[in-house]
């Protein structure tokens, strides 16, 4: 492949190339020059010395345990955000532009749990700002709720299971969900909403260890000790507009629950 030398590149080209690589899933820069590993001389295997090998002491890192300790030590939302930003055990962090922590009013009665940031959220550092997020805002508006509302009665607070964008928007892996779950738990405990809305399968898997959103949606359940309503994800509704009818009935169920509580 012909390469473009740095001196021939202007800032915009360099940025476009870098963004393209990030889109392709490149998440780490390991050296300045490319290495063609097919062209390297084959090394002869090293002769084994006649000595017993020194024992290798491996320290197992329990990433969930480290997350649990970091999350439990956070006494406020700001401290939780800092603890998450300092957490180094999730590889998604390396490919992401921003930590996407939350949006909305932390005094809201309703807390929405989504899946993970997409490209727009990664750029802005705020959850649900792309097309799915705009649909979410319209859905909430239809029952008198808004992320920008100051009154807790009319407000929502929004976060995701994962705070970093998975490459190419792939599904989060079970180990990534498990690793970040202590932060989600602590997030819910600090916000203390009255109800949770679980947007899509990943949120249901994290909060209830259940999948099958098309069966779960619309039926109130319990998650993190709170009433929780699974709903189809707005990204799904964009692909399957006929499912909006059921989503509307779920929104009415949310409205009714808020009036009952
Ligand atoms: N989808 C999500 O689940 N969360 C976001 O923040 C954006 C899209």
């Amino acid at each position: 492949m012909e390469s473009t030398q740095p001196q021939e590149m202007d800032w915009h080209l360099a940025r476009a190339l870098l963004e393209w690589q990030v889109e392709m899933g490149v998440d780490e820069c390991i050296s300045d020059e490319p290495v063609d590993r097919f062209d390297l001389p084959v090394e002869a295997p090293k002769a084994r010395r006649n000595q017993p090998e020194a024992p290798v002491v491996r320290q197992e890192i329990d990433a969930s345990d480290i997350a649990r300790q970091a999350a439990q030590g956070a006494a406020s939302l700001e401290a939780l955000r800092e603890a998450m930003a300092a957490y180094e055990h999730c590889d998604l962090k390396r490919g992401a532009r921003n930590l996407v922590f939350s949006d909305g009013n932390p005094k809201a009665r309703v807390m929405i749990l989504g899946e993970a940031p997409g490209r727009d959220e990664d750029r802005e550092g705020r959850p649900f700002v792309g097309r799915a997020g705009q649909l979410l805002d319209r859905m909430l508006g239809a029952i008198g709720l808004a992320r920008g509302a100051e009154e807790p009665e009319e407000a929502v607070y929004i976060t995701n299971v994962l705070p970093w964008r998975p490459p190419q928007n792939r599904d989060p892996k079970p180990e990534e969900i498990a690793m970040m779950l202590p932060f989600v738990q602590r997030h819910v405990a600090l916000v203390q909403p009255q109800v949770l809305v679980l947007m899509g399968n990943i949120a249901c898997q994290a909060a209830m260890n259940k999948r099958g959103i098309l069966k779960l949606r619309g039926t109130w359940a319990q998650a993190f000790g709170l009433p929780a309503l699974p709903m189809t994800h707005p990204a799904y509704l964009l692909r399957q507009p006929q499912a909006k009818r059921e989503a509307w009935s779920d929104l009415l169920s949310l409205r009714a629950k808020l009036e009952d509580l």
Side-chain angles (χ1 to χ4, degrees), residues 100 114-118 121 126-129 132 160 233:
V100 176
E115 178 179 320
E121 290 77 19
R126 280 200 307 141
F128 283 102
V129 292
N160 281 312
H233 195 286

